[in-house]
Amino acid sequence: MPDVVQVEPITTARLLRGPFDYVRPEGAQVGSVLVVPFAGRDVVGVVTGLAERSEHELATPRRVLEHSLPDDLVALAPWMAAEYCSTVARALALMLPPKGARPRSVLHARTLREPGADERLTTRQRELLASLPRAAGKDLGGLRRLEARGLVAIEPAGVRRAPVHATVGARSGREPPVLSADQARALEQVAAAEPGERLLLHGVTGAGKTEVYLRAARRALDAGRGVLVLVPEIALTPQIVSRFRERFGDLVAVLHSALAPGERYDEWQRLRTGRALIAVGPRSAVFAPLERIGLIVVDEEHDASYKHEGDPRYDSRLVAERRAADHGAVLVAGSATPRAESWAGLRRVSMPTRVDGARLPPVEVLDLRGVRGTLHPRAHEALVDARKAIVLLNRRGWSNYLTCASCGRAWECPSCDVTLVLHQARGMLACHHCGHRERVPSRCPGCGSVSVSRHGTGTERLEGELPGPVFRLDGDAARPAEVLAAFERAERGILLGTQLVAKGHDFPDVELGVVVDADQTLRFPDFRAEERTFALVAQLAGRAGRGGSAGRVLVQTAAPDAPAIVHAARHDAEGFLAGELERRRELRYPPFSTLIRIVASSPRPGAAAAAALALREALPGALGPAPLFRLRGRERSQVVVKAADRAAAVAAVGLAVEHVAGDRAHRGVALSVDVDPQ
Ligand code: ADP
Ligand code: ZN
Ligand code: ZN
């Protein structure tokens, strides 16, 4: 019987080398979560191993907590740490239920024995006894007196804090629809897949992919296995959650950050204890404590939100593949606009037609060259005619920068080297990177001139130029779900917003889609710019013409010949991806290589550039250093590694970062590593 537990304390320190040995408390196993004394304070730690003895003098943990991690997650943590140049503790922190939350219990009273014939009880006491069993909150004093006489037992009992999603979309009893031929074929291919196999469900928008997920989930449950369903953002995709709840009721646990910590804790525990068998949630739900997973679904697999921007900068799609391999689960990644990586790497299952048999809407490209104003006259005309339309403009605010008409001064953020965006309704200039705000200027602080020019158009300004009632959905909108619901109910109107409007919504009566500036994503200095533009245009096109209404799509661009736009206009994902993969092969971009980006940052002038230079010198063949714009008062500089051998490159970067971080010359410089940057 081992007497020692090896514990990984959950701290953010990078240079800590865990695990640390402690006396093994009664019942502690691998995965147990403890509170341990560490470096002079009490911290939460996870047991990652057991040992017979230790060469150190051991401290005793303070407590064993009520929840524990399953073995496979404990084993996943070192893999994550290595894969993303992070630490085991940081990886484990992502897997634990919310901090500070505890199971909630209430006192519950039940009858222990019937009163004997000669026992004297008041009428009130008889009434109390007759009311049992029940929660003991009311008349606790009276119940305690009956408890003292041995008539009643009062014990704590767990209570589940059910999230809102548990009440909406309760099991409906409605019959599932008859599958389309595409759906039936896709389902058979999923069912016939080998354990650990990865499939790309490439279905046009409206092909009915969700129904395939639901049927595959049913089969996994019937085989005694659990199901993990990842979605981009729950606030924007409530439909898929409610459809799972409709079909599977309480077997579904919803995990997402908008839940109160207590609710999230309870949903987590329901999965951990096997009372729920299907976990649905965004990126972080990939760590759901399910055992024996049989199916992992990644819906809208192209969505950028699957990449985590904190440390470790994990990609939940890759973690999902790893968990599928560990569990022998089938992975199904679904999208109408898959990433080039998935197209090349996963087995394709295609669903080429819409469920309702409708054609995909025709897409017309409008050349913006020579057009004054934000909207092409044809687009304006079409918006006047359409009953319901969706308009996509990927820029929040009124206008994207201001200059002084006399001296040319531009208004910039004091802590970032970017221009401030005008938000007219709030009377503010705002930095979209750090959140800095200031009042709208009435005169130029440089030359005193009162004429200020406004450049560019954001959603707020376009709202005033559109005909008809507008429902605005962007990062400034308070409640996205409510905006979407109001648009759905409306007889006519225009849903205007940033890329949020293109995300998987299923409105039956949208006649028109307009992309105001398709070049905006194309101009991004990033090798994924083409892919993103294609996805954005094709996804927006997918929102129009559903449910029997005729639809069409207008795409405004100054680059009508760009492959992303030409192929999106033809709904030709296959043709686009073939060309895109060819381009990436020539330029040696992923999936033909692995990119790793290291960003050095520091408020001290010159320090970030010096550290980045040292990194480049430690990494033969690396590109850079290249300066990035100053962010939140910190100068930044980046180095990029492009490598054929992923594991070797990640290891080399890890060593180089450790070397530079440990060099006194670069003290105070923060280094962040991003494997597979987005
Ligand atoms: P996708 O995610 O592939 O774009 P959805 O799963 O959102 O498509 O399905 C589109 C619409 O078709 C939904 O309203 C859904 O309820 C409906 N649907 C799906 N399968 C069927 C079917 N077999 N018969 C009738 N309607 C279906
Ligand atoms: Zn001026
Ligand atoms: Zn800023």
Side-chain angles (χ1 to χ4, degrees):
M1 179 74 171
D3 293 324
V4 178
V5 285
Q6 299 169 323
V7 176
E8 194 69 59
I10 305 300
T11 74
T12 54
R14 258 198 169 276
L15 296 174
L16 212 59
R17 285 277 172 273
F20 299 90
D21 294 348
Y22 287 86
V23 173
R24 184 184 186 188
E26 177 87 35
Q29 300 289 349
V30 168
S32 291
V33 184
L34 316 176
V35 176
V36 292
F38 183 77
R41 53 197 184 99
D42 284 357
V43 303
V44 169
V46 176
V47 177
T48 56
L50 304 175
E52 295 295 335
R53 63 187 68 81
S54 172
E55 49 204 64
H56 307 284
E57 197 175 316
L58 299 187
T60 305
R62 309 264 188 242
R63 282 186 298 133
V64 181
L65 298 185
E66 298 85 347
H67 54 269
S68 64
L69 290 179
D71 289 353
D72 82 296
L73 287 179
V74 176
L76 191 65
W79 173 83
M80 292 254 307
E83 189 70 28
Y84 295 107
C85 288
S86 187
T87 66
V88 175
R90 283 175 186 243
L92 287 169
L94 295 168
M95 300 167 182
L96 291 171
K99 257 209 214 72
R102 288 282 166 273
R104 179 200 284 175
S105 62
V106 297
L107 293 175
H108 196 264
R110 63 186 166 85
T111 311
L112 213 51
R113 64 172 175 83
E114 293 299 325
D118 54 346
E119 268 182 277
R120 289 191 26 212
L121 291 171
T122 63
T123 318
R124 180 78 199 112
Q125 284 175 323
R126 291 191 188 283
E127 280 167 11
L128 274 181
L129 278 177
S131 72
L132 302 185
R134 64 167 171 84
K138 200 157 153 273
D139 298 317
L140 184 59
L143 288 168
R144 285 285 186 211
R145 281 188 287 281
L146 292 171
E147 184 189 32
R149 290 168 63 170
L151 290 165
V152 167
I154 301 175
E155 291 146 349
V159 176
R160 173 179 166 212
R161 287 152 290 192
V164 184
H165 296 288
T167 54
V168 299
R171 203 192 290 259
S172 73
R174 213 185 314 153
E175 283 294 305
V178 177
L179 295 185
S180 71
D182 271 5
Q183 286 173 323
R185 210 175 318 112
L187 181 64
E188 283 323 308
Q189 293 191 58
V190 174
E194 300 287 324
E197 203 177 348
R198 300 169 305 157
L199 305 181
L200 173 65
L201 187 60
H202 177 230
V204 295
T205 51
K209 293 185 283 295
T210 312
E211 188 60 38
V212 176
Y213 306 150
L214 290 164
R215 300 289 179 110
R218 167 66 70 202
R219 294 197 182 191
L221 292 184
D222 289 347
R225 312 287 293 264
V227 177
L228 180 53
V229 182
L230 301 180
V231 297
E233 271 158 277
I234 292 234
L236 296 167
T237 46
Q239 281 165 345
I240 187 162
V241 176
S242 55
R243 289 182 60 194
F244 268 87
R245 291 206 51 93
E246 236 173 69
R247 192 81 45 99
F248 300 108
D250 258 0
L251 289 179
V252 178
V254 180
L255 294 170
H256 82 101
S257 56
L259 298 180
E263 293 170 344
R264 203 144 42 106
Y265 183 90
D266 290 357
E267 289 294 87
W268 193 92
Q269 277 288 33
R270 291 202 311 122
L271 290 163
R272 180 70 182 104
T273 53
R275 278 171 292 151
L277 296 170
I278 302 177
V280 183
R283 171 176 79 216
S284 59
V286 75
F287 302 114
L290 278 165
E291 272 166 88
R292 291 173 44 75
I293 302 173
L295 174 72
I296 302 183
V297 170
V298 183
D299 189 31
E300 309 289 359
E301 72 92 30
H302 60 277
D303 199 277
S305 72
Y306 284 122
K307 184 74 197 276
H308 182 61
E309 290 308 332
D311 183 342
R313 293 173 172 270
Y314 70 92
D315 188 323
S316 48
R317 293 164 291 208
L318 199 67
V319 179
E321 289 187 6
R322 172 76 194 196
R323 286 200 87 185
D326 287 349
H327 287 246
V330 173
L331 179 106
V332 178
S335 176
T337 55
R339 292 175 301 155
E341 285 94 328
S342 311
W343 189 257
L346 275 50
R347 184 152 74 79
R348 282 175 231 158
V349 174
S350 76
M351 299 173 67
T353 49
R354 282 185 162 180
V355 175
D356 52 14
R359 286 195 316 126
L360 287 162
V363 178
E364 191 184 337
V365 177
L366 298 177
D367 193 339
L368 272 187
R369 286 171 294 188
V371 172
R372 294 175 58 90
T374 315
L375 284 179
H376 192 287
R378 298 269 302 280
H380 192 270
E381 211 174 284
L383 283 165
V384 171
D385 291 343
R387 203 166 59 77
K388 277 177 117 167
I390 300 183
V391 175
L392 170 75
L393 174 60
N394 227 350
R395 270 193 305 265
R396 292 188 286 135
W398 178 273
S399 62
N400 41 338
Y401 66 104
L402 304 183
T403 58
C404 167
S406 312
C407 74
R409 178 188 193 278
W411 270 263
E412 291 189 345
C413 175
S415 352
C416 315
D417 292 335
V418 296
T419 54
L420 294 170
V421 175
L422 172 64
H423 289 256
Q424 178 101 322
R426 285 190 266 156
M428 298 264 213
L429 297 183
C431 172
H432 283 183
H433 293 273
C434 73
H436 165 85
R437 288 177 180 189
E438 53 187 74
R439 299 262 304 276
V440 176
S442 50
R443 63 176 61 238
C444 171
C447 72
S449 160
V450 292
S451 65
V452 176
S453 320
R454 300 165 164 198
H455 309 270
T457 296
T459 45
E460 188 186 358
R461 183 176 191 172
L462 185 58
E463 180 172 0
E465 297 176 17
L466 294 175
V470 174
F471 301 81
R472 184 146 62 88
L473 179 68
D474 54 27
D476 298 330
R479 297 188 180 279
E482 284 172 22
V483 176
L484 289 169
F487 174 67
E488 184 164 17
R489 282 192 307 268
E491 260 307 299
R492 56 182 299 133
I494 298 172
L495 179 67
L496 162 66
T498 52
Q499 73 221 7
L500 303 183
V501 301
K503 289 204 174 184
H505 319 296
D506 183 25
F507 302 118
D509 49 3
V510 173
E511 294 167 3
L512 175 68
V514 177
V515 181
V516 176
D517 183 3
D519 311 335
Q520 203 229 344
T521 45
L522 217 45
R523 281 191 297 263
F524 244 74
D526 173 355
F527 78 95
R528 289 184 208 278
E530 292 270 348
E531 181 176 286
R532 277 219 193 100
T533 306
F534 176 82
L536 208 55
V537 173
Q539 288 290 340
L540 184 75
R543 302 309 121 217
R546 289 182 171 222
S549 63
R552 66 180 179 131
V553 178
L554 302 175
V555 177
Q556 304 195 140
T557 173
D561 302 323
I565 289 172
V566 172
H567 285 100
R570 288 197 225 124
H571 303 291
D572 180 13
E574 201 159 341
F576 170 72
L577 285 162
E580 179 63 12
L581 277 165
E582 207 33 62
R583 188 178 74 93
R584 295 221 193 150
R585 187 195 304 278
E586 277 163 23
L587 299 173
R588 239 170 40 83
Y589 277 127
F592 304 101
S593 67
T594 295
L595 292 187
I596 306 172
R597 184 170 97 119
I598 312 148
V599 176
S601 73
S602 166
R604 195 154 46 86
L613 187 61
L615 277 171
R616 216 267 328 268
E617 279 162 3
L619 290 164
L623 310 169
L628 301 174
F629 70 83
R630 197 167 52 102
L631 180 67
R632 294 189 174 88
R634 302 176 73 90
E635 286 185 0
R636 299 182 306 151
S637 182
Q638 78 168 3
V639 169
V640 173
V641 173
K642 203 189 221 183
D645 182 344
R646 180 185 183 95
V650 172
V653 167
L655 285 176
V657 165
E658 212 165 282
H659 167 72
V660 173
D663 184 341
R664 296 176 60 94
H666 303 297
R667 233 193 351 214
V669 176
L671 298 175
S672 92
V673 178
D674 193 352
V675 181
D676 305 325
Q678 291 282 314

